[in-house]
Amino acid sequence: MSGYTIDRVNLACGLLFIAVGAVFGYQSVGMELGTALRMGPGYFPLVLSGVLMLLGVVVILQSIRAEGEALGAIAWRGIFLILPAPIFFGLTVRGLGFLPAIFCTALIASFASTRMNPLMAVLISAGVTVFSYLAFIYALGLPFRLVGPWLAF
Amino acid sequence: MDLLQNLALGFQTASTLWNLLFCFIGVLLGTLIGVLPGIGATATIAMLLPITFQIGDPVGALIMLAGIYYGAQYGGSTTAILINMPGESSSAVTALDGYQMARKGRAGAALATAAIGSFVAGTVATGLVALFAPPLTAIALKFGAAEYFSLMIVGLVSSVALAHGSVVKAIAMVIIGLLLGLVGTDIYSGTPRFTFGIREYADGLNFVALAVGVFGIAEILRNLETDRTREVIVAKVSGLMPTRDELRRMVAPVLRGTALGSALGVLPGGGAILASFASYTLEKRVADNPSEFGQGAIQGVAGPESANNAGAQTSFIPMLTLGIPANPVMALMIGAMIIQGIVPGPNVAAEQPALFWGIIASMWIGNLMLVILNLPLIGLWVKLLTIPYYILFPIIMAFCSIGVYSVNSNVYDLFFVAFAGLAGYVFAKLRCEPAPLLLGFVLGPLLEENLRRAMILSRGDPTTFFTRPISAILLLIALAVLVVVFLPAVRRKREEVFVEEA
């Protein structure tokens, strides 16, 4: 069919709304719904999920025959290096302790940009570690273990 | 007089050595981060929010947070004027003429205009807050569950109306926010909801983690899309003081902007953004020589900057009196209050007068500090603009991680930060605004609680929302806003405004 266009971004957006609505809706049904007088834990979220799915359908309908801007570049490198940084910190702050964990967190995030070189990354991470120690441990007195049990000999 | 007594209490609270220090640190840090290009006021506050929790005393913490807010806003204007890279939409207006002034060698004057305009507007608006907050509180105390529910509907609907882009998407974002806000233990039955069996999420998702992820980390990811060095041509700053002629020309715009901003700031849903726009349009219309606008007209900086700051100030009114956030920044403030153990709402003024009036007084002190701090330190901010991004990312990520973890020492909050960052980035790619989501998240539990309570009180009769007069009026307002947004003429105009803005 010629002249057939669809705004892919909005199509994806509508599908995402429906998916989110479905996940929350499915779980709400599993809970006690109650009545309008005494609403159970599932009542309000079920209503919201229904509306959300409906809005998803509307967004998809609007996307048909519409020209949309392209999605543009996606920061894959950023996603794979920025997002794991806090996760890594969460996994290691107790085991490795505060200082090694924060050093590695900064180091991981450093490589999110292609412009960073290894020496620079190590220097910045070291700087961040020293500053964090002074600001958060020394000045603010956060009760974190500096070096954790994984590194104890 | 009551007002004077209250203000005296406020200034007494705000001007203790420690609170002055917190205010100063807040303004300094806020400007420091806010001046970084591409990082807006909301992201700045979200990133710095955890630091304020380290202050044991809620008054100090909120004063510091307010300081961060003013600093971040002013930092954003500096960036807009000097390198034409506004951090968010309210300073986009400033960039129009401010940057042109900078290119003509009047960067110093533009910065001074922004500072002076903001200070005047801040002073007037602080007075308005002090004047209008108490009577509003008295009204709010009469509110029952039905009224609260309707009021929150007004807030959510307005946030939808003022979001960029598609209205349908904005409503969907509010609902996702509401649903995320419901994660945790149900207050009536004790049933855990949507926790995916993770015990650490039983108390609900961490608000700070959501804010840092959706605003802060998502913004970093967006900046990483174009991983190149910024072409920074920082305009040379010289001759800080405006000339006598310039001072004369900025008086009227500052006053008009202040009036406009004060009125629009009270509106729930981000009136401050609207205010700078409305002020710019107004100044252009009343100017003797409208063709000057866009070429470096000082009125185009003075008006919107004053409007913006006045709006930022008066948006505290609904937050302090009703516990309803007018914009995402106020949502952050409410989140901070809840974490500090204060229930936001009309009772704050009566139960914690020192806190209530202390915040109001600190608004003025914060504005004063901005002027004192920024005019001499402008050289430092200019230097900051030349730091490349790739150096900032690891620093910001490290501090965000420590900050979020320090709130509850819950490692699952850190996992949620990463998830929220990804979600925020995906939403940005799909052209969905994150601000309504944050408002929904804060209001979700309150909305449900009041809905359920109102239904129980009315014995299951849903007409209670229409038969109680205040509630009915509020719902009518919400309906009117929705109708107006969907009117074809307004819709077109709205799209125009936001296109122009982007």
Side-chain angles (χ1 to χ4, degrees):
Chain A
M1 211 159 61
S2 62
Y4 177 78
T5 59
I6 190 157
D7 186 340
R8 283 161 193 276
V9 174
N10 277 350
L11 178 69
C13 184
L15 290 174
L16 179 70
F17 289 160
I18 293 176
V20 174
V23 169
F24 276 94
Y26 175 74
Q27 294 202 30
S28 307
V29 176
M31 288 182 281
E32 194 194 332
L33 291 178
T35 61
L37 168 59
R38 273 187 200 285
M39 295 181 190
Y43 194 103
F44 189 55
L46 184 65
V47 173
L48 290 179
S49 308
V51 178
L52 184 61
M53 288 201 274
L54 206 68
L55 291 173
V57 173
V58 173
V59 172
I60 290 177
L61 289 179
Q62 283 179 343
S63 73
I64 298 170
R65 289 181 173 277
E67 297 278 355
E69 298 162 53
L71 198 57
I74 295 177
W76 288 115
R77 197 181 165 100
I79 291 175
F80 287 117
L81 287 164
I82 288 287
L83 296 180
I87 296 178
F88 180 87
F89 185 73
L91 291 174
T92 58
V93 65
R94 294 211 178 120
L96 286 177
F98 180 78
L99 294 179
I102 203 62
F103 179 81
C104 297
T105 304
L107 199 64
I108 294 170
S110 297
F111 291 101
S113 170
T114 46
R115 317 190 65 86
M116 183 65 85
N117 65 55
L119 179 67
M120 192 73 164
V122 171
L123 285 179
I124 291 173
S125 304
V128 166
T129 310
V130 171
F131 182 85
S132 304
Y133 172 74
L134 292 175
F136 292 97
I137 308 288
Y138 183 75
L140 291 171
L142 294 190
F144 295 149
R145 276 183 83 155
L146 295 182
V147 179
W150 294 354
L151 296 178
F153 294 104
Chain B
M1 216 178 114
D2 249 11
L3 179 66
L4 289 181
Q5 242 169 32
N6 286 329
L7 276 180
L9 172 70
F11 275 99
Q12 217 178 339
T13 314
S15 56
T16 61
L17 194 61
W18 280 110
N19 286 343
L20 279 179
L21 184 71
F22 291 141
C23 187
F24 175 79
I25 296 175
V27 170
L28 186 71
L29 285 178
T31 318
L32 197 73
I33 308 285
V35 93
L36 302 173
I39 296 175
T42 316
T44 305
I45 298 165
M47 288 180 200
L48 293 175
L49 189 60
I51 298 179
T52 64
F53 297 138
Q54 304 313 323
I55 301 168
D57 153 50
V59 182
L62 286 170
I63 285 178
M64 182 163 158
L65 204 55
I68 292 173
Y69 180 26
Y70 309 135
Q73 278 215 324
Y74 190 77
S77 311
T78 308
T79 319
I81 289 170
L82 291 179
I83 59 170
N84 200 16
M85 265 187 75
E88 61 190 52
S89 41
S90 58
S91 47
V93 187
T94 310
L96 295 176
D97 276 280
Y99 184 60
Q100 293 303 325
M101 278 183 80
R103 285 186 52 184
K104 288 183 178 161
R106 302 297 298 150
L111 289 166
T113 305
I116 297 168
S118 298
F119 178 68
V120 173
T123 308
V124 174
T126 303
L128 287 176
V129 175
L131 212 59
F132 284 110
L136 264 175
T137 311
I139 299 175
L141 279 173
K142 297 201 176 77
F143 277 25
E147 282 79 15
Y148 262 108
F149 176 81
S150 304
L151 184 69
M152 282 183 255
I153 296 289
V154 174
L156 291 175
V157 166
S158 318
S159 82
V160 165
L162 292 170
H164 296 225
S166 155
V167 176
V168 179
K169 283 186 187 173
I171 299 176
M173 292 300 278
V174 166
I175 293 181
I176 294 178
L178 289 170
L179 284 169
L180 287 175
L182 296 181
V183 173
T185 311
D186 172 45
I187 44 160
Y188 284 91
S189 64
T191 319
R193 292 193 287 183
F194 315 118
T195 55
F196 296 96
I198 298 166
R199 203 159 30 89
E200 278 78 2
Y201 291 143
D203 289 333
L205 297 172
N206 186 322
F207 169 76
V208 180
L210 180 77
V212 169
V214 169
F215 285 99
I217 295 181
E219 211 143 302
I220 291 180
L221 290 176
R222 272 155 82 175
N223 282 319
L224 273 170
E225 274 172 13
T226 48
D227 191 14
R228 55 184 159 78
T229 12
R230 276 170 295 135
E231 289 295 319
V232 185
I233 313 157
V234 178
K236 220 175 148 235
V237 184
S238 57
L240 212 51
M241 275 322 282
T243 60
R244 196 171 285 263
D245 179 50
E246 281 170 331
L247 276 176
R248 190 181 50 75
R249 287 203 299 163
M250 65 186 263
V251 173
V254 165
L255 295 180
R256 279 193 292 263
T258 304
L260 207 57
S262 303
L264 290 173
V266 188
L267 294 183
I273 300 163
L274 200 65
S276 43
F277 245 90
S279 165
Y280 190 79
T281 318
L282 178 73
E283 290 311 321
K284 203 168 168 181
R285 202 152 289 170
V286 300
D288 299 329
N289 186 7
S291 63
E292 224 191 341
F293 279 77
Q295 310 291 326
I298 195 164
Q299 298 99 309
V301 177
E305 272 297 303
S306 315
N308 184 19
N309 207 40
Q313 219 80 298
T314 53
S315 62
F316 275 87
I317 293 180
M319 197 279 274
L320 285 172
T321 57
L322 305 167
I324 300 289
N327 54 42
V329 173
M330 288 304 123
L332 288 165
M333 284 282 208
I334 288 190
M337 278 175 124
I338 293 173
I339 292 176
Q340 296 278 3
I342 301 162
V343 182
N347 289 324
V348 175
E351 285 165 12
Q352 311 232 17
L355 173 93
F356 184 86
W357 292 99
I359 292 177
I360 292 180
S362 79
M363 291 177 184
W364 188 78
I365 297 178
N367 277 295
L368 183 68
M369 279 187 184
L370 262 186
V371 176
I372 299 173
L373 191 70
N374 282 306
L375 294 181
L377 282 184
I378 198 72
L380 178 67
W381 306 143
V382 173
K383 280 235 170 56
L384 265 179
L385 289 176
T386 55
I387 297 180
Y389 262 151
Y390 63 90
I391 293 184
L392 296 173
F393 295 140
I395 301 176
I396 295 174
M397 286 313 297
F399 292 163
C400 282
S401 302
I402 300 172
V404 169
Y405 183 64
S406 70
V407 178
N408 282 335
S409 297
N410 182 351
V411 293
Y412 281 82
D413 287 348
L414 289 162
F415 305 151
F416 182 57
V417 163
F419 174 79
L422 182 65
Y425 183 62
V426 169
F427 284 132
K429 288 308 269 183
L430 297 177
R431 301 196 294 267
C432 296
E433 276 278 297
L437 179 129
L438 191 71
L439 285 189
F441 181 79
V442 173
L443 291 180
L446 291 171
L447 194 70
E448 188 195 24
E449 194 188 328
N450 282 296
L451 171 69
R452 284 161 87 170
R453 194 181 298 154
M455 290 303 277
I456 292 172
L457 289 174
S458 73
R459 297 175 197 287
D461 178 12
T463 57
T464 178
F465 297 107
F466 307 103
T467 49
R468 294 174 67 108
I470 301 181
S471 168
I473 292 169
L474 289 168
L475 283 180
L476 277 179
I477 294 173
L479 187 70
V481 172
L482 260 190
V483 169
V484 166
V485 172
F486 276 110
L487 280 183
V490 176
R491 201 167 170 179
R492 223 171 301 127
K493 183 78 194 157
R494 182 174 168 275
E495 270 156 26
E496 245 169 61
V497 167
F498 284 127
V499 167
E500 208 178 305
E501 197 172 317

